[in-house]
Amino acid sequence: MNTQVEQPRRGPSLILLHSIPMFAGVPDAELEQIAKVAFHRRVPRQTTIVRAGDSTDSLYVLVSGRAKVMNSDEEGREVILTLLGPGEFFGEMGLIDGSPRSADVVATETCELLVITKNDFKRCLAENFDLCLNIMKSLVQRLREADRNIESLALLDVYGRVAKLLIDFSEDERGERVIKRRVTKQDIAKMIGASREMVSRVMKDLENRGYFRVEEGRIVILEKRMLSAAAPAPRA
């Protein structure tokens, strides 16, 4: 995978920082300080932005583009832990507890990143309660997502896992649940612990049975039907 990145560029504007959920509620005076220490970095598709086991030296915020958080074994088998999109961030855990990177983060599209170094991140946390609260909310949300994923792997068959993942990826759009992001069947397989061929068969069957439809390159989910498919099967 590509590991080359462009040289850092000067920091972000306040308008950009205001648009990032992590900085919600942070006063302009503190945002101005963050803008002085944060810098832009652009990475091409397939770049490994951070690698598992590396020392943790920075926090990254996705301004545009998408990335996947993943781990692999010595035989090259991969598991995707989550997919990241604009406004999301990564690298905060190691900055908080001092541990090495726990996973690889790979750009699946060309990405624009904001980078904040370890010392600057800690200073920002120490000086701003709203930023601390936003970080804690994000960590709690990720812990809840991990709990749901463990439950899904333990209790659901492949049909249920695919259905649940499609629901999780969907967002409300004028009363409909729509998946706008591009997610490959291979990525879905690596997230739910199944083969790509099995995921293809399940998705084709769900589409044929009317659980979702494809319109103009996006997936429209019939939420009530999909929720029934994502429910654990009754025990005998």
Side-chain angles (χ1 to χ4, degrees):
M1 287 184 181
N2 186 9
T3 58
Q4 299 298 312
V5 297
E6 290 187 356
Q7 291 298 311
R9 295 183 282 114
R10 70 182 188 83
S13 67
L14 288 185
I15 294 176
L16 174 58
L17 292 179
H18 274 300
S19 70
I20 297 172
M22 186 176 75
F23 301 119
V26 177
D28 282 354
E30 181 60 26
L31 285 181
E32 288 175 356
Q33 295 302 312
I34 295 172
K36 290 178 182 178
V37 299
F39 54 89
H40 283 281
R41 179 169 289 169
R42 183 177 185 273
V43 298
R45 181 176 177 271
Q46 296 301 322
T47 296
T48 300
I49 304 168
V50 302
R51 195 177 296 278
D54 287 351
S55 60
T56 304
D57 57 2
S58 299
L59 170 79
Y60 296 85
V61 183
L62 265 174
V63 177
S64 65
R66 298 190 181 277
K68 58 184 178 182
V69 182
M70 54 176 282
N71 275 320
S72 59
D73 63 16
E74 295 179 352
E75 297 179 2
R77 293 175 298 190
E78 298 177 353
V79 57
I80 296 177
L81 304 176
T82 191
L83 301 177
L84 301 172
E88 296 184 280
F89 59 91
F90 57 93
E92 77 288 349
M93 291 193 301
L95 296 182
I96 293 171
D97 68 4
S99 298
R101 303 287 189 191
S102 59
D104 295 345
V105 180
V106 179
T108 56
E109 302 174 2
T110 298
C111 292
E112 292 283 345
L113 301 164
L114 286 184
V115 186
I116 303 175
T117 64
K118 181 177 183 178
N119 289 338
D120 289 327
F121 173 73
K122 287 187 172 182
R123 181 191 60 77
C124 291
L125 286 183
E127 296 178 357
N128 193 276
F129 173 77
D130 288 306
L131 182 57
C132 286
L133 188 60
N134 291 341
I135 295 288
M136 286 190 289
K137 286 179 179 177
S138 176
L139 290 173
V140 170
Q141 180 181 357
R142 291 178 184 182
L143 181 59
R144 292 186 190 279
E145 289 174 355
D147 287 344
R148 288 195 294 269
N149 289 339
I150 293 170
E151 179 183 0
S152 172
L153 288 171
L155 300 179
L156 299 179
D157 58 15
V158 176
Y159 270 85
R161 280 179 259 161
V162 171
K164 179 185 176 299
L165 195 64
L166 294 177
I167 293 170
D168 290 344
F169 281 156
S170 70
E171 54 190 278
D172 183 74
E173 184 180 84
R174 296 189 295 274
E176 290 186 315
R177 300 300 301 183
V178 177
I179 300 175
K180 298 179 180 178
R181 69 173 72 182
R182 180 181 178 273
V183 184
T184 67
K185 294 181 177 67
Q186 184 66 56
D187 284 347
I188 292 175
K190 290 179 180 180
M191 295 184 78
I192 67 169
S195 68
R196 182 188 181 283
E197 293 74 17
M198 176 60 77
V199 169
S200 295
R201 289 198 295 270
V202 169
M203 290 193 67
K204 187 65 176 177
D205 189 52
L206 289 173
E207 182 179 8
N208 289 339
R209 292 163 62 188
Y211 287 86
F212 70 86
R213 63 182 186 275
V214 179
E215 293 181 355
E216 300 177 352
R218 55 183 197 159
I219 295 176
V220 180
I221 289 175
L222 279 72
E223 187 174 13
K224 290 183 178 180
R225 297 200 67 184
M226 193 67 82
L227 283 170
S228 68
R235 296 180 181 275

